[in-house]
Amino acid sequence: MQRRTFLQLGTLGLSAVGLSSFRGKKAVTKPIVISTWDAGLEANKAAWQVLRSGGRALDAVEQGVMVTEASQNCCVGLGANPDRDGFVTLDACIMDEAFNCGSVAFLERIKHPISVARRVMEKTPHVMLVGSGAQQFAVAEGFALEDGKLSKDAQKSYDNWLKKSEYKPIINIERTQLGHGPFAPEKLDTGEWNHDTIGMVAMDANGNLSGSCTTSGQGFKMRGRLGDSPIIGAGLFVDNEVGAATATGQGEDVIRICGAHSVVEFMRQGLHPEAACKKAVERIIKIKGTKAQAIQVGFIAINKKGEYGGYCIQKGFNYAVCYADDKNILVDGKYML
Ligand code: ASP
């Protein structure tokens, strides 16, 4: 397709037809959006609506993960796992193509932490707000203060957890993977799900990158515990000249290696997104030694060519990739152990 024709199609809001634009001879897959775990399929659909009509990647990654945050039937947001004291505390961050970034952590009773993170980015001179300060800012910005009650399923799971009150991260268990909702509700009784995150990175039709990451953190965590997800450079990093990456899994081990930033730096050195994710996973495994068998971490990334990839420690991680109206697919992450 001639570049001019593609641009015309783009102007008509038909950019989805032109999956690739051409820079010289090199095909660039754009727009494109990818996100962690199978909840990403629904989130990608919302992001794609923004991207296909020529919208900004930043809007796409915000609106995409808002779907997951709002779903009581999913793994992120106020419907998710509480901490060990019984309160849901949420962490989120967002980053655009110009190194603007915003983050909230330990935020309670607010439905869309990702949007509060965006307001932090756009309306304050800061990058991070936490706890009651973040909540105060959210309310001042017009976000509703929800009642803070646990969802029915989370209450059930918490009650079950309280029987032993044992904090033990369990690898690979996403609430959706256990068939939350209509699929296998009895599994919820086990209380065996504890990773509750969606990370999303996208490139828009203009070739700009952005990313978002939002979580309730690990289930039954210590009160006040933060993982990687709200930390720019750990749970999410975007460099518009190179690529974007996000992480999920055992947050402490992602923080240790500045995970998402490392993946982007590996792409800067010329590695394909999948190879870059793999190298970050290798780094964690090297540090953890045999203890790596007890944890899960997954990275996903895209580069400026619209190439994508993901890699994880253990079998069981997947991510959703969308680059056309009819191409929203779930990919099994390659794994090392
Ligand atoms: N990375 C998140 C955290 O450590 C958890 C997850 O991805 O499920 O808080």
Side-chain angles (χ1 to χ4, degrees):
M1 195 186 317
Q2 296 293 313
R3 181 173 162 76
R4 202 165 152 194
T5 317
F6 172 77
L7 290 175
Q8 281 166 350
L9 285 172
T11 322
L12 289 170
L14 294 174
S15 53
V17 177
L19 295 183
S20 300
S21 62
F22 292 88
R23 280 196 191 140
K25 281 182 184 158
K26 198 147 206 157
V28 177
T29 304
K30 65 180 186 185
I32 180 167
V33 56
I34 69 173
S35 53
T36 56
W37 302 105
D38 49 3
L41 285 172
E42 282 305 307
N44 280 0
K45 281 188 202 163
W48 186 251
Q49 290 311 309
V50 176
L51 294 172
R52 76 185 296 277
S53 53
R56 280 183 81 187
L58 181 68
D59 294 320
V61 297
E62 180 187 7
Q63 286 174 38
V65 302
M66 280 174 77
V67 170
T68 327
E69 286 181 339
S71 171
Q72 287 282 311
N73 279 337
C74 195
C75 51
V76 171
L78 290 176
N81 289 320
D83 63 18
R84 67 184 192 182
D85 291 4
F87 302 100
V88 175
T89 70
L90 303 176
D91 309 328
C93 72
I94 193 160
M95 189 162 188
D96 77 4
E97 75 281 358
F99 292 96
N100 297 307
C101 44
S103 158
V104 286
F106 196 48
L107 177 64
E108 292 177 273
R109 295 172 57 189
I110 300 288
K111 192 170 174 185
H112 287 300
I114 197 65
S115 302
V116 186
R118 183 165 176 179
R119 297 283 174 95
V120 172
M121 170 175 106
E122 290 177 340
K123 293 200 162 179
T124 79
H126 308 302
V127 168
M128 287 189 95
L129 288 180
V130 305
S132 58
Q135 190 190 68
Q136 196 180 327
F137 171 72
V139 171
E141 283 294 309
F143 290 85
L145 200 55
E146 308 292 335
D147 63 19
K149 275 198 206 134
L150 295 187
S151 68
K152 215 169 118 250
D153 290 332
Q155 185 67 56
K156 205 168 163 188
S157 189
Y158 181 53
D159 290 344
N160 191 56
W161 179 80
L162 279 176
K163 288 178 198 156
K164 287 193 192 156
S165 302
E166 187 181 41
Y167 179 65
K168 195 171 68 171
I170 298 165
I171 57 168
N172 284 335
I173 308 292
E174 274 286 330
R175 212 167 156 179
T176 45
Q177 280 182 280
L178 278 176
H180 182 65
F183 308 111
E186 72 283 355
K187 298 244 176 107
L188 286 173
D189 290 338
T190 64
E192 279 179 308
W193 40 274
N194 69 349
H195 285 298
D196 292 303
T197 300
I198 181 163
M200 175 179 276
V201 287
M203 178 160 62
D204 61 31
N206 290 320
N208 283 323
L209 300 167
S210 289
S212 61
C213 189
T214 180
T215 190
S216 58
Q218 287 182 339
F220 322 120
K221 61 196 174 187
M222 280 179 74
R223 187 144 176 84
R225 179 264 183 193
L226 299 183
D228 59 312
S229 306
I231 300 176
I232 297 294
L236 176 71
F237 196 69
V238 179
D239 182 328
N240 207 41
E241 283 186 359
V242 178
T246 185
T248 183
Q250 184 77 24
E252 285 75 4
D253 294 308
V254 177
I255 294 171
R256 253 182 263 289
I257 65 150
C258 299
H261 181 262
S262 296
V263 173
V264 171
E265 290 307 304
F266 291 140
M267 290 195 285
R268 192 193 307 280
Q269 289 164 16
L271 292 189
H272 183 277
E274 183 182 300
C277 292
K278 184 177 179 190
K279 210 158 172 173
V281 164
E282 273 167 1
R283 192 168 276 185
I284 293 176
I285 291 176
K286 191 172 169 208
I287 293 167
K288 300 291 287 186
T290 50
K291 289 189 186 148
Q293 272 155 8
I295 60 163
Q296 174 67 305
V297 169
F299 293 104
I300 59 170
I302 56 176
N303 65 16
K304 284 294 269 189
K305 295 179 200 159
E307 293 168 331
Y308 63 84
Y311 215 90
C312 56
I313 297 180
Q314 318 272 349
K315 188 177 178 186
F317 168 63
N318 51 23
Y319 57 99
V321 179
C322 180
Y323 52 90
D325 281 347
D326 60 346
K327 288 277 181 303
N328 188 19
I329 52 169
L330 201 59
V331 178
D332 285 329
K334 291 192 185 158
Y335 54 93
M336 194 154 289
L337 297 184

